[in-house]
Amino acid sequence: MPSKYNPGEIEEKWQREWERSGAFKADAGGAGEKFYLLEMFPYPSGRIHMGHVRNYSIGDVLARFYMMSGYNLLHPMGWDSFGLPAENAAQQNNIHPAKWTYANIESMRNQFKRLGFSYDWDREVATCDPEYYRWNQWFFLKMYERGLAYKKRSSVNWCPRCLTVLANEQVEEERCWRCESEVEEKELEQWFLKITDYADELLKGCDTLTEWPERVLTMQRHWIGRSVGAEVHFPVIDGDGDDSITVFTTRPDTLYGVTFMSLAPEHPMVKDLIQGKNEEEAVRAFIERVRREEKRAGVEAVQEKKGVFTGAYCRNPLTGEHIPVYVANFVLMGYGTGAVMAVPTHDQRDFEFAREYGLPLKVVITPAGEEMEAESMEAAYEEDGIMVNSGPFDGMGNREAIEGIVDHLESEGSGKRAVTYRLRDWGISRQRYWGCPIPVIYCEKCGIVPVPNDDLPVILPEDITFTDGGVSPLKEVDRFMEVKCPACGGEARRESDTMDTFVDSSWYFLRYTSPRERSAPFKRDEADYWMAVDHYIGGIEHAVMHLLYARFFTKVLRDIGLVTVDEPFKKLLTQGMVCKEITRCPKDGYLSPEEVDEGRCRKCGDEVAIGAVEKMSKSKRNTIDPDGIIERYGADTTRLFTLFAAPPERDLEWSDDGVEGSYRFLRRVWRLVDDNSDVLAGVAPYDGAEGCDGYLREMHGLTHRTIKKVTEDIQRRNHFNTAISAIMEQVNALYQWKGEKSGKNASVFREAVESVLCLLSPFAPHLCEELWERLGMSEPLYRTKWPACREEALKVDEVFIVVQVNGKVRSRLGVAADAGEEEVRKTALLDDKVQEWIGEKAIKKVVFVPKRLMNLVVG
Ligand code: ANZ
Ligand code: ZN
């Protein structure tokens, strides 16, 4: 009696079975080469979305593939569970952030289990667990000991009424978004991690990451932004003896062409330079204006180049010329030295500035064999060339002159070679509750005192009230804040800031290697065995921050002697977004599919417009809830669709038809086995030992061609969509099985069916396990060896075909024995000898005798 494909039933059955048998438990002592497969862990926001389904389905295909391929697999899952949404939910719904977070974890874990992902749940970690975050604190203290964690004043937006720091986005027209008080700029002490110490190594390491997408490496290199050049000192005229302005330049070869100097508005020397000068007021007003503009638009967005003369001059160390000093809005205090020697003839930005303010231009580099007049220039000449107006360096190539000029500066003590990075130290202080407390204590007598190791973890206090004041919530909790100084025993106070949650995610992959370890962040030998992560999968949005911080942490932990690897992630796959078209009603805005009925808005009855395909998001109302899809079609269809619809690194467009199609295919696979259960029953799979030919050989060959293609697509290219297509083709061919299904035929058929189930199992594991069991297999599929391709089976017999043109033999072609008319005709037309006789003539008729002859009738 035929049975029906019932995903709900079989999926639950196999999920229970995998759990019961501990199918995915990792063990460092297990057989085979280790393979650490990891997907970026999620923030427990409440319910999973399609982006999660896609990300974790991609990971699961690889996990199951590598496991079946004989590797000793580690495939863990956890929760990036500190962060702002929990705190917002706490305020809005009056629920404690911990409660909210753990409830979310619970429901998302269940959703993951319903999708049949192959995680070792025994290794689950949550970063908000004190047993986890105590090690953040421990690392912090290790870094503090080594000078890698330090406190620095930096300027922030401060609301004097709310007594809190405001992010740039919280300042509206220079006023606090909450209380509308005028915002002040305030210097605040913040904790920083010295990632800049590792800038060079992080940059060089990019060259070793040969299995990362080039795009991500480019972004990391750019973020680190290494520039090679020189620092040059320009003594201030009439300054205090040895006052000088130091610039960073990548173009020392242009030193003879400097005609003014530009300082950042925040440059510390500005105050002294303008003191008592006529320009003082104007400069102050300018600086104030720039500050406001940047607040409003952001530093990056300010387009117009503006500046003001300070009234001061400095001296060019090479030429002795007096150079006017300006303050300019485009010079950034955070880069280089915050001062730029301006060369309008060879730097476009300086050129525009000079034109605006009528400053002189002096050409010092010209294209070889050409003259250049400063007055007639329409843009700066930024290319290489020959030095002119540059004293002893005239006539040299400018690249060569760089070395000579820097040597000269170094010998005179007025400059030196220097490297500058765009990368800044990582500010980790957050005025938030739901994060890892920074483990330091402030004592009036002793200053900053680290919390002693034995007192870790510093646990977040549970009872907390979120006032609307926006004050760092921990500051209000006396029982937390008030503490005895570990050094002198006197009254002291704790740090009230918590850490940036990116600290939590910078080492979680190490914790998975020994997640229940209590005396160390992780066991050294376990970490050494499993690390590095062999394949890491996540969104492109983490291309810089998370991936850079995790690399930084790994290097620091290596230097502390905790791990051996230099890099945490060997191979990286960044998956694309899940998208769907948006629907809009002219009156009611974005509509979800449920709010539309036959092209009309359910609310107002107006006709709706179907818009562009965009990333699924709640605000655009174009999301699809995974639960509904799983409910209706099962987890296997849901997984299969997200894997089939696009290659992983591309964006995926949601399509209801596509989901239907995936479901239909799985049903077809079900019927293939079900309809043929008698044939398949008492027969062993063909193993190729005793040869076969003709149709059987063809089908046997197809099985192995499919094995080869699917294996390569999964492993080498990660192109799951084409792997799935190949399996579909094989299933189609099996539906069209010709002739008998008994004896040897049945064996070849069975080999093909078994192979389909193996190959499909990483994508649709539940269905395949069930059918595998129905084939009478005693070993579950996940423990079955991935099928190997027999090269022997791929060989196709070749035959020679005689090609005639108008009945006369003109050529002989070697083609596959099973080649059809179309294929032979194509091959024949490419043959030189045949071409010679056909030329431009039209083919009127083709006579084809398979394996023997083709006659092309032309005229
Ligand atoms: C003189 C000069 C002449 C420059 C010339 C360029 C071309 P990258 O390559 O990005 O490192 N610069 C230095 N510090 C700056 C700051 N704080 N804000 C804005 N600009 C700054 O850029 C280095 C160049 O950017 C430096 O070389 C300096 O201008 C400018 F024909 O010095 B150059
Ligand atoms: Zn003290």
Side-chain angles (χ1 to χ4, degrees):
M1 229 231 322
S3 60
K4 210 171 150 272
Y5 173 40
N6 183 344
E9 204 173 283
I10 61 172
E11 288 177 359
E12 209 191 308
K13 166 183 164 186
W14 286 101
Q15 285 157 18
R16 252 188 287 117
E17 172 56 22
W18 293 329
E19 192 145 349
R20 189 200 59 76
S21 63
F24 310 116
K25 299 269 166 281
D27 175 4
E33 202 182 316
K34 74 96 183 175
F35 198 93
Y36 187 173
L37 183 91
L38 187 65
E39 301 108 48
M40 291 179 187
F41 65 167
Y43 177 78
S45 52
R47 311 291 298 165
I48 64 172
H49 52 66
M50 275 299 167
H52 290 125
V53 174
R54 185 177 196 202
N55 188 195
Y56 301 118
S57 294
I58 291 168
D60 206 49
V61 171
L62 290 168
R64 287 172 180 274
F65 168 76
Y66 279 105
M67 192 155 115
M68 291 173 76
S69 300
Y71 287 84
N72 189 28
L73 183 77
L74 172 57
H75 187 210
M77 177 46 72
W79 313 96
D80 190 9
S81 50
F82 270 140
L84 204 50
E87 232 166 296
N88 291 340
Q91 282 182 38
Q92 280 157 22
N93 311 328
N94 199 22
I95 174 172
H96 193 277
K99 205 170 162 203
W100 184 84
T101 304
Y102 280 108
N104 288 350
I105 288 177
E106 176 77 23
S107 65
M108 287 173 74
R109 188 195 301 114
N110 286 334
Q111 288 184 296
F112 281 157
K113 288 190 172 174
R114 263 188 95 187
L115 279 158
F117 295 141
S118 60
Y119 299 124
D120 177 353
W121 284 106
D122 286 354
R123 292 179 186 250
E124 182 179 352
V125 302
T127 58
C128 63
D129 176 356
E131 280 303 311
Y132 182 88
Y133 70 70
R134 71 181 302 157
W135 303 110
N136 279 7
Q137 297 172 341
W138 190 81
F139 292 138
F140 176 89
L141 295 173
K142 286 271 177 215
M143 292 194 198
Y144 182 69
E145 267 170 40
R146 305 186 142 234
L148 287 172
Y150 66 96
K151 226 179 167 187
K152 186 176 80 178
R153 298 180 77 77
S154 60
S155 72
V156 293
N157 307 306
W158 181 259
C159 171
R161 185 130 155 243
C162 300
L163 300 176
T164 187
V165 172
L166 301 176
N168 281 342
E169 302 80 48
Q170 296 170 330
V171 180
E172 289 161 2
E173 311 215 327
E174 290 137 76
R175 290 179 179 277
C176 171
W177 65 322
R178 281 198 209 91
C179 70
E180 300 191 358
S181 315
E182 203 157 325
V183 171
E184 296 169 2
E185 186 162 299
K186 185 167 164 165
E187 297 262 301
L188 252 203
E189 297 255 312
Q190 311 247 75
W191 284 98
F192 288 85
L193 300 183
K194 221 169 176 185
I195 190 171
T196 53
D197 267 16
Y198 287 81
D200 230 359
E201 208 200 325
L202 287 166
L203 186 68
K204 289 208 185 91
C206 287
D207 298 338
T208 68
L209 299 172
T210 52
E211 294 180 90
W212 280 38
E214 204 50 47
R215 184 154 80 110
V216 175
L217 291 174
T218 304
M219 288 165 81
Q220 293 227 343
R221 288 189 181 109
H222 177 74
W223 191 265
I224 298 166
R226 183 176 196 265
S227 287
V228 181
E231 279 179 13
V232 186
H233 313 301
F234 287 66
V236 176
I237 309 283
D238 304 327
D240 271 350
D242 45 37
D243 269 3
S244 68
I245 299 173
T246 302
V247 303
F248 170 76
T249 178
T250 48
R251 297 291 306 277
D253 52 324
T254 62
L255 245 173
Y256 283 84
V258 176
T259 56
F260 61 99
M261 173 74 64
S262 305
L263 300 184
E266 309 91 334
H267 196 288
M269 286 177 75
V270 171
K271 241 202 242 143
D272 282 348
L273 290 174
I274 59 175
Q275 184 133 48
K277 297 214 168 71
N278 294 338
E279 288 82 357
E280 185 167 353
E281 256 325 294
V283 175
R284 280 186 198 286
F286 173 78
I287 292 173
E288 187 53 32
R289 206 163 62 233
V290 171
R291 209 177 64 81
R292 271 194 225 135
E293 265 172 29
E294 284 179 357
K295 268 274 144 63
R296 204 169 308 130
V299 182
E300 250 79 81
V302 175
Q303 290 284 327
E304 235 179 328
K305 292 162 204 68
K306 289 243 171 284
V308 62
F309 180 46
T310 60
Y313 290 85
C314 60
R315 187 159 46 79
N316 184 324
L318 273 194
T319 65
E321 285 168 303
H322 288 196
I323 310 277
V325 180
Y326 278 68
V327 170
N329 66 348
F330 57 82
V331 182
L332 309 171
M333 195 54 227
Y335 187 68
T337 61
V340 178
M341 60 179 229
V343 187
T345 41
H346 302 294
D347 179 283
Q348 185 59 24
R349 209 169 42 179
D350 297 343
F351 182 84
E352 287 164 26
F353 191 87
R355 279 282 148 90
E356 170 91 20
Y357 293 96
L359 291 158
L361 277 67
K362 186 179 161 195
V363 174
V364 291
I365 297 167
T366 59
E370 276 179 47
E371 295 210 345
M372 234 164 50
E373 288 291 331
E375 291 72 43
S376 57
M377 284 174 92
E378 278 171 17
Y381 176 69
E382 295 185 329
E383 314 298 305
D384 287 341
I386 305 299
M387 304 284 290
V388 296
N389 302 322
S390 297
F393 301 97
D394 280 356
M396 262 188 200
N398 70 307
R399 292 281 138 200
E400 209 186 322
I402 290 182
E403 298 307 314
I405 289 176
V406 180
D407 283 344
H408 179 74
L409 292 171
E410 285 187 339
S411 71
E412 300 268 298
S414 46
K416 61 172 200 291
R417 290 186 162 74
V419 174
T420 284
Y421 297 91
R422 230 171 62 91
L423 184 67
R424 299 276 76 103
D425 278 340
W426 174 12
I428 59 159
S429 296
R430 297 290 180 272
Q431 293 75 35
R432 297 289 172 202
Y433 166 71
W434 194 235
C436 170
I438 295 174
V440 293
I441 290 167
Y442 301 103
C443 167
E444 295 248 314
K445 248 172 63 202
C446 314
I448 296 176
V449 185
V451 173
N453 267 333
D454 289 347
D455 295 348
L456 296 185
V458 177
I459 297 185
L460 281 176
E462 269 189 35
D463 41 355
I464 176 112
T465 33
F466 294 97
T467 54
D468 209 26
V471 188
S472 175
L474 288 178
K475 242 187 192 138
E476 309 274 88
V477 187
D478 293 342
R479 278 191 305 134
F480 175 80
M481 290 300 289
E482 287 163 12
V483 65
K484 293 270 176 283
C485 168
C488 71
E491 300 281 305
R493 280 175 79 72
R494 286 191 192 278
E495 167 68 66
S496 59
D497 285 351
T498 54
M499 294 183 200
D500 181 1
T501 55
F502 276 112
V503 175
D504 310 337
S505 52
S506 289
W507 68 281
Y508 75 109
F509 44 91
L510 287 160
R511 183 70 181 166
Y512 282 140
T513 65
S514 43
R516 305 293 168 254
E517 176 61 34
R518 295 192 63 111
S519 60
F522 46 84
K523 286 200 187 96
R524 168 100 201 214
D525 53 344
E526 293 277 339
D528 278 350
Y529 175 76
W530 290 113
M531 287 297 287
V533 172
D534 292 278
H535 204 148
Y536 195 35
I537 300 154
I540 187 81
E541 67 273 19
H542 294 297
V544 179
M545 298 226 272
H546 162 58
L547 290 169
L548 195 64
Y549 295 147
R551 294 181 61 213
F552 162 60
F553 251 68
T554 303
K555 289 172 195 299
V556 172
L557 300 192
R558 176 204 59 198
D559 289 347
I560 295 175
L562 295 171
V563 295
T564 310
V565 290
D566 294 317
E567 290 286 346
F569 312 123
K570 195 159 163 262
K571 178 170 183 169
L572 175 70
L573 189 155
T574 47
Q575 94 272 2
M577 300 181 299
V578 181
C579 306
K580 188 179 183 303
E581 84 271 334
I582 51 170
T583 307
R584 289 191 72 125
C585 160
K587 283 211 198 76
D588 295 299
Y590 294 116
L591 299 179
S592 72
E594 296 79 50
E595 293 164 326
V596 182
D597 186 28
E598 306 207 339
R600 293 190 173 275
C601 173
R602 276 194 200 274
K603 292 182 212 164
C604 69
D606 272 8
E607 216 168 297
V608 301
I610 306 292
V613 175
E614 291 186 34
K615 180 184 176 170
M616 281 190 181
S617 78
K618 288 226 174 76
S619 60
K620 299 261 167 73
R621 304 189 65 96
N622 63 342
T623 58
I624 296 280
D625 177 23
D627 270 350
I629 302 294
I630 298 171
E631 195 59 50
R632 180 136 173 230
Y633 298 99
D636 281 337
T637 295
T638 313
R639 295 167 53 123
L640 188 73
F641 168 72
T642 63
L643 295 162
F644 181 55
E649 67 277 9
R650 297 268 192 79
D651 287 351
L652 178 160
E653 187 183 338
W654 183 267
S655 131
D656 293 333
D657 290 347
V659 178
E660 275 290 339
S662 294
Y663 183 63
R664 266 200 313 275
F665 170 65
L666 292 183
R667 245 181 13 213
R668 241 164 109 71
V669 175
W670 178 273
R671 272 200 291 120
L672 179 69
V673 176
D674 197 51
D675 291 353
N676 290 288
S677 54
D678 292 345
V679 176
L680 291 161
V683 52
Y686 178 65
D687 64 2
E690 140 203 8
C692 62
D693 51 5
Y695 181 65
L696 285 190
R697 187 177 163 83
E698 205 178 287
M699 293 309 285
H700 178 59
L702 175 64
T703 296
H704 287 270
R705 271 204 305 285
T706 310
I707 291 172
K708 187 176 168 127
K709 169 136 183 78
V710 173
T711 307
E712 286 181 359
D713 281 354
I714 293 180
Q715 186 167 17
R716 211 167 316 138
R717 306 194 299 140
N718 308 141
H719 277 192
F720 308 129
N721 55 330
T722 53
I724 295 166
S725 295
I727 301 172
M728 288 174 168
E729 275 173 36
Q730 194 186 347
V731 169
N732 285 344
L734 292 175
Y735 263 91
Q736 285 151 27
W737 185 272
K738 296 185 188 118
E740 297 278 301
K741 277 186 200 157
S742 60
K744 201 195 245 174
N745 291 38
S747 286
V748 172
F749 186 75
R750 172 143 187 154
E751 185 204 22
V753 170
E754 283 187 17
S755 175
V756 163
L757 296 182
C758 282
L759 299 181
L760 187 62
S761 69
F763 308 97
H766 309 88
L767 168 88
C768 296
E769 283 284 10
E770 178 67 22
L771 294 176
W772 191 252
E773 189 183 61
R774 285 173 186 230
L775 283 184
M777 301 295 196
S778 50
E779 274 271 279
L781 192 45
Y782 69 85
R783 261 196 242 135
T784 301
K785 216 170 142 18
W786 187 257
C789 164
R790 285 182 64 235
E791 290 296 329
E792 180 58 30
L794 301 184
K795 286 193 197 128
V796 267
D797 298 329
E798 229 186 36
V799 291
F800 280 96
I801 288 199
V802 169
V803 185
Q804 303 175 332
V805 178
N806 290 344
K808 292 220 169 74
V809 176
R810 299 300 182 191
S811 187
R812 281 162 61 84
L813 299 174
V815 298
D818 58 354
E821 175 175 333
E822 240 335 273
E823 196 183 333
V824 173
R825 187 174 125 144
K826 270 192 204 139
T827 318
L829 289 177
L830 289 172
D831 186 81
D832 286 344
K833 282 179 259 170
V834 176
Q835 254 314 311
E836 207 178 299
W837 293 97
I838 295 182
E840 301 290 297
K841 288 174 224 152
I843 295 166
K844 288 188 174 152
K845 200 177 147 203
V846 179
V847 182
F848 178 58
V849 185
K851 293 183 193 181
R852 300 254 300 276
L853 172 137
M854 173 165 281
N855 182 17
L856 300 164
V857 181
V858 300

